[in-house]
Amino acid sequence: AQLYVSLKMENARIIGDLVPHVYGSEPIIGSWEPARALAMERELASMWELSFVVPPDHETLDFKFLLKPKDAETPCIIEEGPTRLLTGGMLEGDVRLANFRLNGDDELLEFRVFNKADIVSPLDLAASWRVYKENFQPSKVRGIPDISINEAPTHATEDGSGSSLELDLEHYVVPTPTAPPTEYAANLAATPASLDQPETPWTNDMLLSDGIQSPRSAAADFKDDSYHNKAMPEAAGAVAAAAVADRLHGSKEDRKLAIVLVGLPARGKTFTAVKLTRYLRWLGHETKHFNVGKYRRLKHGANQSADFFRPDNQEGIEARNEVAALAMEDMIDWMHGGGQVGIFDATNSTRKRRYMLMKMAEGNCKIIFLETICNDRNIIERNVRLKIQQSPDYADQPDYEAGLQDFLERLTNYEKVYEPVQEGSYIKMIDMVKGEGGQLQVNNISGYLPGRIVFFLVNSHLAPRPILLTRHGESLHNVRGRVGGDTVLSEDGELYSKKLANFIEKRLKNEKTATIWTSTLQRTILTATPIVGFPKIQWRALDEINSGVCDGMTYEEIKKIMPEEYESRKKDKLRYRYPRGESYLDVIQRLEPVIIELERQRAPVVVISHQAVLRALYSYFADRPLREVPDMEMPLHTIIEIQMGVTGVEEKRYKLMD
Ligand code: F6P
């Protein structure tokens, strides 16, 4: 984070062409030469302001106010009194008036002075062109600006395919090695286990208040406490620490979490369930999505009409409760087998239904209701459209209008009996799909994992935008087969940087607010250099896996000099931590803020990073298991475009060079 400091002078009026300026210690305030003083800008009729950005621990800055014409050195009237000191973004001591003597000391002008300092992230700064262009004075990380922008006009490059805008992007498309599923989101949920078994006796008594005791979820069966049998979770750092603490301190019930979705149809419940499942899995939590619709379709067929959902159709209600209970039983069984977070996806729109679920959860898991509320007609209409086009419920309905009529009737049936959540622990997401405005209400939520879930939900939305992932251009270490280091680009690497700039110019030509993210290592910064017109942000979190004592060695050298290390890494590349370096799990953990920020962004982002880091990031978007991360294909000179949107994540790859 940086400090956004604003110095203000009140009631200052323009005398002749004299305007307030600031001059002082280099480099932030500029110079002690009045000629190079920084002009304050008129913020309001009688308020002048100068703002700039400094690191929170900046050196003390000393400066003075002066009055002078904007583009001339004289006349120049410097304020009376000692220099002013600014530390930690704030003026030191009692802030005195700025006194200026005019007309040979006859006239004294006194203006009130004050200042304000706000912590802002580099991303917030970059997000605002106005702030960036007008106020940004770069701070330095290891001699390189945290954010930099190259506003030079684009020139056709000699060898980077000059007629840039003629570039045919499709020409570079290559297939994805592991094609992500394009299935209907709900179908990706857990396969109903109970429906493969002999019929489970189910009676309406299960809804009675003395509790649900299905044969397979009875508390007495809770012998298999797999926590004791299972090795550490596939997670690192805070996640593993929290898991261990939960194990030691939490009650058995608290260690398992059921996120129970609540909401009318077409409110984005399944999209939310899919996203949350992906995120928690990526963090290393055993997470599974249970979709009750999938159970209903298996047990009662896919093409039930709106009548099935009528609130006065007793048979329909019982059938729906039955499949919900079966899915819940499966989820609890799965938790007994080691599962940690179950995402229970159904409308669960009546208090009675939720009561049934709470009873079933007693002694087994903690429940948090996650209610999605949407009041935006356009979004509901879009969701309804997607439902008719994609849901297996309407796969056999060739007539779109007939499907639509039926679904709207189904919706009305639900609306008649819908009771918003007011009981237990809950999170309500109200109009948050677009990522602007909206509200998130939280009741009775505590603990590490629920906290992370809330944080994730606050930041995620479904506004469509692309994320482009690429490794840096080939570096000198890549040519020599050495790991780590901080070398510059090879000739091929430089060529790629030009081709990439060209590609981005074309791909993002209508995207004024895109940002380019790099690591703090030279090879990514150099790869980004030819890209113009977009703010560039350096993240230390995007630096390559730290190979510790092996940094700069070839794999052959590691094998020869440290054979045990080499073998250990080969055996478990995900968990293996280089001596004084990092493991893949460490990398995943440090990337969490990057993922949250990528979820939060509404504009396109280009991430230029490194092999191990991109494997970890990519596995999040592609929903690949953690164990696959260390061996994923992540070729040089290739761009992976991830399209984030309503129906999930789509991927396209462009190979610009061999
Ligand atoms: O070889 C390039 C590189 O980015 C190294 O700097 C890094 O150590 C390595 O890839 C990560 O890949 P792996 O985990 O397969 O060694």
Side-chain angles (χ1 to χ4, degrees), residues 471-472 478 482-485 523 544-545 547 555 569 573 578 584 610-612 615 630:
R471 287 175 70 183
H472 51 81
N478 288 146
R482 299 194 177 278
V483 300
R523 50 196 188 274
E544 181 53 308
I545 188 169
S547 41
Y555 293 111
R569 187 161 202 255
K573 203 172 164 190
Y578 280 110
Y584 268 88
H610 307 263
Q611 174 153 258
R615 282 173 175 156

PDB file of all heavy atoms in Angstrom, residues 471-472 478 482-485 523 544-545 547 555 569 573 578 584 610-612 615 630, ligand 1:
ATOM      1  N   ARG A 471       3.745 -16.365 -19.588  1.00  0.00           N
ATOM      2  CA  ARG A 471       5.083 -16.320 -18.992  1.00  0.00           C
ATOM      3  C   ARG A 471       5.851 -15.179 -19.647  1.00  0.00           C
ATOM      4  O   ARG A 471       5.486 -14.722 -20.737  1.00  0.00           O
ATOM      5  CB  ARG A 471       5.830 -17.637 -19.242  1.00  0.00           C
ATOM      6  CG  ARG A 471       5.315 -18.782 -18.401  1.00  0.00           C
ATOM      7  CD  ARG A 471       6.005 -20.077 -18.779  1.00  0.00           C
ATOM      8  NE  ARG A 471       7.415 -20.116 -18.376  1.00  0.00           N
ATOM      9  CZ  ARG A 471       8.236 -21.115 -18.656  1.00  0.00           C
ATOM     10  NH1 ARG A 471       7.791 -22.164 -19.335  1.00  0.00           N
ATOM     11  NH2 ARG A 471       9.488 -21.091 -18.247  1.00  0.00           N
ATOM     12  N   HIS A 472       6.907 -14.753 -19.015  1.00  0.00           N
ATOM     13  CA  HIS A 472       7.797 -13.755 -19.615  1.00  0.00           C
ATOM     14  C   HIS A 472       8.410 -14.334 -20.886  1.00  0.00           C
ATOM     15  O   HIS A 472       8.392 -15.556 -21.102  1.00  0.00           O
ATOM     16  CB  HIS A 472       8.917 -13.434 -18.614  1.00  0.00           C
ATOM     17  CG  HIS A 472       9.580 -14.672 -18.100  1.00  0.00           C
ATOM     18  ND1 HIS A 472      10.553 -15.336 -18.812  1.00  0.00           N
ATOM     19  CD2 HIS A 472       9.369 -15.407 -16.970  1.00  0.00           C
ATOM     20  CE1 HIS A 472      10.928 -16.415 -18.139  1.00  0.00           C
ATOM     21  NE2 HIS A 472      10.228 -16.482 -17.011  1.00  0.00           N
ATOM     22  N   ASN A 478      16.653 -19.329 -18.967  1.00  0.00           N
ATOM     23  CA  ASN A 478      15.884 -20.358 -19.682  1.00  0.00           C
ATOM     24  C   ASN A 478      16.773 -21.008 -20.741  1.00  0.00           C
ATOM     25  O   ASN A 478      16.780 -22.234 -20.897  1.00  0.00           O
ATOM     26  CB  ASN A 478      14.673 -19.758 -20.400  1.00  0.00           C
ATOM     27  CG  ASN A 478      13.561 -19.322 -19.471  1.00  0.00           C
ATOM     28  OD1 ASN A 478      12.867 -18.346 -19.725  1.00  0.00           O
ATOM     29  ND2 ASN A 478      13.392 -20.027 -18.361  1.00  0.00           N
ATOM     30  N   ARG A 482      18.783 -22.922 -16.433  1.00  0.00           N
ATOM     31  CA  ARG A 482      18.985 -22.657 -14.997  1.00  0.00           C
ATOM     32  C   ARG A 482      17.684 -22.180 -14.366  1.00  0.00           C
ATOM     33  O   ARG A 482      16.929 -21.441 -14.995  1.00  0.00           O
ATOM     34  CB  ARG A 482      20.064 -21.588 -14.797  1.00  0.00           C
ATOM     35  CG  ARG A 482      21.399 -22.017 -15.342  1.00  0.00           C
ATOM     36  CD  ARG A 482      22.554 -21.168 -14.890  1.00  0.00           C
ATOM     37  NE  ARG A 482      23.781 -21.730 -15.414  1.00  0.00           N
ATOM     38  CZ  ARG A 482      24.431 -22.750 -14.851  1.00  0.00           C
ATOM     39  NH1 ARG A 482      23.993 -23.274 -13.720  1.00  0.00           N
ATOM     40  NH2 ARG A 482      25.524 -23.251 -15.397  1.00  0.00           N
ATOM     41  N   VAL A 483      17.473 -22.578 -13.112  1.00  0.00           N
ATOM     42  CA  VAL A 483      16.228 -22.181 -12.440  1.00  0.00           C
ATOM     43  C   VAL A 483      16.426 -20.843 -11.723  1.00  0.00           C
ATOM     44  O   VAL A 483      17.545 -20.476 -11.353  1.00  0.00           O
ATOM     45  CB  VAL A 483      15.741 -23.249 -11.427  1.00  0.00           C
ATOM     46  CG1 VAL A 483      15.480 -24.571 -12.120  1.00  0.00           C
ATOM     47  CG2 VAL A 483      16.709 -23.418 -10.273  1.00  0.00           C
ATOM     48  N   GLY A 484      15.309 -20.156 -11.537  1.00  0.00           N
ATOM     49  CA  GLY A 484      15.319 -18.924 -10.733  1.00  0.00           C
ATOM     50  C   GLY A 484      16.113 -17.804 -11.364  1.00  0.00           C
ATOM     51  O   GLY A 484      16.085 -17.591 -12.568  1.00  0.00           O
ATOM     52  N   GLY A 485      16.872 -17.081 -10.514  1.00  0.00           N
ATOM     53  CA  GLY A 485      17.688 -15.964 -10.977  1.00  0.00           C
ATOM     54  C   GLY A 485      16.849 -14.755 -11.374  1.00  0.00           C
ATOM     55  O   GLY A 485      15.629 -14.732 -11.202  1.00  0.00           O
ATOM     56  N   ARG A 523      12.765 -10.179 -15.891  1.00  0.00           N
ATOM     57  CA  ARG A 523      12.307 -10.798 -17.141  1.00  0.00           C
ATOM     58  C   ARG A 523      10.828 -10.519 -17.420  1.00  0.00           C
ATOM     59  O   ARG A 523      10.405 -10.501 -18.580  1.00  0.00           O
ATOM     60  CB  ARG A 523      12.632 -12.300 -17.152  1.00  0.00           C
ATOM     61  CG  ARG A 523      12.217 -13.107 -15.931  1.00  0.00           C
ATOM     62  CD  ARG A 523      12.969 -14.437 -15.958  1.00  0.00           C
ATOM     63  NE  ARG A 523      12.548 -15.410 -14.956  1.00  0.00           N
ATOM     64  CZ  ARG A 523      13.016 -15.460 -13.714  1.00  0.00           C
ATOM     65  NH1 ARG A 523      13.876 -14.533 -13.294  1.00  0.00           N
ATOM     66  NH2 ARG A 523      12.624 -16.421 -12.892  1.00  0.00           N
ATOM     67  N   GLU A 544       8.662 -15.659  -9.303  1.00  0.00           N
ATOM     68  CA  GLU A 544       8.750 -17.111  -9.507  1.00  0.00           C
ATOM     69  C   GLU A 544       8.990 -17.835  -8.175  1.00  0.00           C
ATOM     70  O   GLU A 544       9.476 -17.221  -7.200  1.00  0.00           O
ATOM     71  CB  GLU A 544       9.889 -17.412 -10.509  1.00  0.00           C
ATOM     72  CG  GLU A 544      10.107 -18.882 -10.862  1.00  0.00           C
ATOM     73  CD  GLU A 544       8.851 -19.618 -11.348  1.00  0.00           C
ATOM     74  OE1 GLU A 544       7.815 -19.572 -10.656  1.00  0.00           O
ATOM     75  OE2 GLU A 544       8.927 -20.280 -12.402  1.00  0.00           O
ATOM     76  N   ILE A 545       8.641 -19.112  -8.146  1.00  0.00           N
ATOM     77  CA  ILE A 545       8.885 -19.946  -6.962  1.00  0.00           C
ATOM     78  C   ILE A 545      10.338 -19.715  -6.531  1.00  0.00           C
ATOM     79  O   ILE A 545      11.244 -19.681  -7.377  1.00  0.00           O
ATOM     80  CB  ILE A 545       8.604 -21.439  -7.273  1.00  0.00           C
ATOM     81  CG1 ILE A 545       8.665 -22.282  -6.009  1.00  0.00           C
ATOM     82  CG2 ILE A 545       9.546 -21.996  -8.323  1.00  0.00           C
ATOM     83  CD1 ILE A 545       8.136 -23.715  -6.212  1.00  0.00           C
ATOM     84  N   SER A 547      13.650 -20.812  -5.429  1.00  0.00           N
ATOM     85  CA  SER A 547      14.319 -22.117  -5.408  1.00  0.00           C
ATOM     86  C   SER A 547      15.467 -22.149  -4.389  1.00  0.00           C
ATOM     87  O   SER A 547      16.322 -23.043  -4.442  1.00  0.00           O
ATOM     88  CB  SER A 547      14.783 -22.504  -6.813  1.00  0.00           C
ATOM     89  OG  SER A 547      15.318 -21.388  -7.471  1.00  0.00           O
ATOM     90  N   TYR A 555      18.905 -28.339 -13.477  1.00  0.00           N
ATOM     91  CA  TYR A 555      18.362 -29.528 -12.805  1.00  0.00           C
ATOM     92  C   TYR A 555      19.449 -30.607 -12.685  1.00  0.00           C
ATOM     93  O   TYR A 555      19.517 -31.328 -11.699  1.00  0.00           O
ATOM     94  CB  TYR A 555      17.141 -30.055 -13.562  1.00  0.00           C
ATOM     95  CG  TYR A 555      15.949 -29.097 -13.499  1.00  0.00           C
ATOM     96  CD1 TYR A 555      15.522 -28.417 -14.629  1.00  0.00           C
ATOM     97  CD2 TYR A 555      15.266 -28.876 -12.310  1.00  0.00           C
ATOM     98  CE1 TYR A 555      14.447 -27.542 -14.583  1.00  0.00           C
ATOM     99  CE2 TYR A 555      14.190 -27.997 -12.249  1.00  0.00           C
ATOM    100  CZ  TYR A 555      13.783 -27.327 -13.385  1.00  0.00           C
ATOM    101  OH  TYR A 555      12.729 -26.460 -13.325  1.00  0.00           O
ATOM    102  N   ARG A 569      12.082 -33.853  -4.290  1.00  0.00           N
ATOM    103  CA  ARG A 569      11.203 -33.012  -5.104  1.00  0.00           C
ATOM    104  C   ARG A 569      10.462 -33.867  -6.126  1.00  0.00           C
ATOM    105  O   ARG A 569       9.269 -33.657  -6.379  1.00  0.00           O
ATOM    106  CB  ARG A 569      12.025 -31.925  -5.804  1.00  0.00           C
ATOM    107  CG  ARG A 569      11.148 -30.916  -6.523  1.00  0.00           C
ATOM    108  CD  ARG A 569      11.865 -29.623  -6.832  1.00  0.00           C
ATOM    109  NE  ARG A 569      10.916 -28.554  -7.036  1.00  0.00           N
ATOM    110  CZ  ARG A 569      10.589 -28.039  -8.214  1.00  0.00           C
ATOM    111  NH1 ARG A 569      11.138 -28.512  -9.316  1.00  0.00           N
ATOM    112  NH2 ARG A 569       9.710 -27.063  -8.310  1.00  0.00           N
ATOM    113  N   LYS A 573       6.409 -33.121  -5.604  1.00  0.00           N
ATOM    114  CA  LYS A 573       6.760 -31.778  -6.093  1.00  0.00           C
ATOM    115  C   LYS A 573       5.831 -30.703  -5.521  1.00  0.00           C
ATOM    116  O   LYS A 573       6.217 -29.550  -5.366  1.00  0.00           O
ATOM    117  CB  LYS A 573       6.680 -31.796  -7.625  1.00  0.00           C
ATOM    118  CG  LYS A 573       7.508 -30.740  -8.311  1.00  0.00           C
ATOM    119  CD  LYS A 573       7.506 -30.960  -9.815  1.00  0.00           C
ATOM    120  CE  LYS A 573       7.981 -29.724 -10.543  1.00  0.00           C
ATOM    121  NZ  LYS A 573       7.783 -29.786 -11.988  1.00  0.00           N
ATOM    122  N   TYR A 578      12.078 -26.131  -1.421  1.00  0.00           N
ATOM    123  CA  TYR A 578      13.527 -25.973  -1.613  1.00  0.00           C
ATOM    124  C   TYR A 578      14.134 -25.474  -0.303  1.00  0.00           C
ATOM    125  O   TYR A 578      13.539 -24.605   0.353  1.00  0.00           O
ATOM    126  CB  TYR A 578      13.808 -24.896  -2.667  1.00  0.00           C
ATOM    127  CG  TYR A 578      13.677 -25.325  -4.114  1.00  0.00           C
ATOM    128  CD1 TYR A 578      12.629 -24.862  -4.899  1.00  0.00           C
ATOM    129  CD2 TYR A 578      14.626 -26.149  -4.701  1.00  0.00           C
ATOM    130  CE1 TYR A 578      12.518 -25.218  -6.241  1.00  0.00           C
ATOM    131  CE2 TYR A 578      14.520 -26.509  -6.050  1.00  0.00           C
ATOM    132  CZ  TYR A 578      13.466 -26.041  -6.803  1.00  0.00           C
ATOM    133  OH  TYR A 578      13.378 -26.402  -8.121  1.00  0.00           O
ATOM    134  N   TYR A 584       5.427 -25.504  -3.968  1.00  0.00           N
ATOM    135  CA  TYR A 584       4.256 -25.065  -4.740  1.00  0.00           C
ATOM    136  C   TYR A 584       3.128 -24.640  -3.802  1.00  0.00           C
ATOM    137  O   TYR A 584       2.405 -23.688  -4.078  1.00  0.00           O
ATOM    138  CB  TYR A 584       3.791 -26.176  -5.687  1.00  0.00           C
ATOM    139  CG  TYR A 584       4.429 -26.075  -7.058  1.00  0.00           C
ATOM    140  CD1 TYR A 584       5.649 -26.681  -7.340  1.00  0.00           C
ATOM    141  CD2 TYR A 584       3.829 -25.324  -8.058  1.00  0.00           C
ATOM    142  CE1 TYR A 584       6.239 -26.561  -8.584  1.00  0.00           C
ATOM    143  CE2 TYR A 584       4.409 -25.195  -9.312  1.00  0.00           C
ATOM    144  CZ  TYR A 584       5.604 -25.814  -9.574  1.00  0.00           C
ATOM    145  OH  TYR A 584       6.187 -25.670 -10.810  1.00  0.00           O
ATOM    146  N   HIS A 610       5.558 -16.185 -14.173  1.00  0.00           N
ATOM    147  CA  HIS A 610       6.545 -17.261 -14.334  1.00  0.00           C
ATOM    148  C   HIS A 610       5.855 -18.633 -14.334  1.00  0.00           C
ATOM    149  O   HIS A 610       4.715 -18.751 -13.886  1.00  0.00           O
ATOM    150  CB  HIS A 610       7.561 -17.206 -13.195  1.00  0.00           C
ATOM    151  CG  HIS A 610       8.175 -15.852 -13.039  1.00  0.00           C
ATOM    152  ND1 HIS A 610       9.398 -15.527 -13.578  1.00  0.00           N
ATOM    153  CD2 HIS A 610       7.716 -14.730 -12.431  1.00  0.00           C
ATOM    154  CE1 HIS A 610       9.678 -14.274 -13.300  1.00  0.00           C
ATOM    155  NE2 HIS A 610       8.675 -13.764 -12.598  1.00  0.00           N
ATOM    156  N   GLN A 611       6.633 -19.636 -14.727  1.00  0.00           N
ATOM    157  CA  GLN A 611       6.074 -20.974 -14.901  1.00  0.00           C
ATOM    158  C   GLN A 611       5.302 -21.490 -13.683  1.00  0.00           C
ATOM    159  O   GLN A 611       4.116 -21.812 -13.778  1.00  0.00           O
ATOM    160  CB  GLN A 611       7.207 -21.929 -15.267  1.00  0.00           C
ATOM    161  CG  GLN A 611       6.808 -23.378 -15.344  1.00  0.00           C
ATOM    162  CD  GLN A 611       7.690 -24.161 -16.286  1.00  0.00           C
ATOM    163  OE1 GLN A 611       7.300 -24.454 -17.415  1.00  0.00           O
ATOM    164  NE2 GLN A 611       8.879 -24.510 -15.842  1.00  0.00           N
ATOM    165  N   ALA A 612       5.974 -21.548 -12.526  1.00  0.00           N
ATOM    166  CA  ALA A 612       5.329 -22.161 -11.357  1.00  0.00           C
ATOM    167  C   ALA A 612       4.126 -21.324 -10.909  1.00  0.00           C
ATOM    168  O   ALA A 612       3.058 -21.860 -10.576  1.00  0.00           O
ATOM    169  CB  ALA A 612       6.341 -22.295 -10.212  1.00  0.00           C
ATOM    170  N   ARG A 615       1.239 -21.790 -13.270  1.00  0.00           N
ATOM    171  CA  ARG A 615       0.596 -23.094 -13.071  1.00  0.00           C
ATOM    172  C   ARG A 615      -0.403 -22.991 -11.929  1.00  0.00           C
ATOM    173  O   ARG A 615      -1.531 -23.483 -12.004  1.00  0.00           O
ATOM    174  CB  ARG A 615       1.645 -24.150 -12.712  1.00  0.00           C
ATOM    175  CG  ARG A 615       2.423 -24.652 -13.896  1.00  0.00           C
ATOM    176  CD  ARG A 615       3.553 -25.560 -13.430  1.00  0.00           C
ATOM    177  NE  ARG A 615       4.254 -26.152 -14.551  1.00  0.00           N
ATOM    178  CZ  ARG A 615       5.499 -26.582 -14.497  1.00  0.00           C
ATOM    179  NH1 ARG A 615       6.194 -26.477 -13.358  1.00  0.00           N
ATOM    180  NH2 ARG A 615       6.062 -27.130 -15.546  1.00  0.00           N
ATOM    181  N   PRO A 630       2.017 -28.918 -10.193  1.00  0.00           N
ATOM    182  CA  PRO A 630       3.449 -28.808 -10.508  1.00  0.00           C
ATOM    183  C   PRO A 630       3.839 -29.338 -11.879  1.00  0.00           C
ATOM    184  O   PRO A 630       4.931 -29.040 -12.357  1.00  0.00           O
ATOM    185  CB  PRO A 630       4.122 -29.658  -9.415  1.00  0.00           C
ATOM    186  CG  PRO A 630       3.094 -29.839  -8.362  1.00  0.00           C
ATOM    187  CD  PRO A 630       1.772 -29.787  -9.037  1.00  0.00           C
TER     188      PRO A 630
HETATM  189  O1  F6P B   1      12.864 -22.991 -15.598  1.00  0.00           O
HETATM  190  C1  F6P B   1      12.100 -21.839 -15.503  1.00  0.00           C
HETATM  191  C2  F6P B   1      11.435 -21.742 -14.176  1.00  0.00           C
HETATM  192  O2  F6P B   1      10.609 -20.611 -14.191  1.00  0.00           O
HETATM  193  C3  F6P B   1      12.392 -21.673 -12.984  1.00  0.00           C
HETATM  194  O3  F6P B   1      12.827 -20.392 -12.670  1.00  0.00           O
HETATM  195  C4  F6P B   1      11.569 -22.303 -11.889  1.00  0.00           C
HETATM  196  O4  F6P B   1      12.338 -22.744 -10.797  1.00  0.00           O
HETATM  197  C5  F6P B   1      10.915 -23.413 -12.647  1.00  0.00           C
HETATM  198  O5  F6P B   1      10.616 -22.895 -13.920  1.00  0.00           O
HETATM  199  C6  F6P B   1       9.634 -23.933 -12.032  1.00  0.00           C
HETATM  200  O6  F6P B   1       9.266 -25.123 -12.685  1.00  0.00           O
HETATM  201  P1  F6P B   1       9.508 -26.548 -11.967  1.00  0.00           P
HETATM  202  O7  F6P B   1       8.720 -26.452 -10.710  1.00  0.00           O
HETATM  203  O8  F6P B   1       8.932 -27.535 -12.941  1.00  0.00           O
HETATM  204  O9  F6P B   1      10.945 -26.730 -11.686  1.00  0.00           O
END
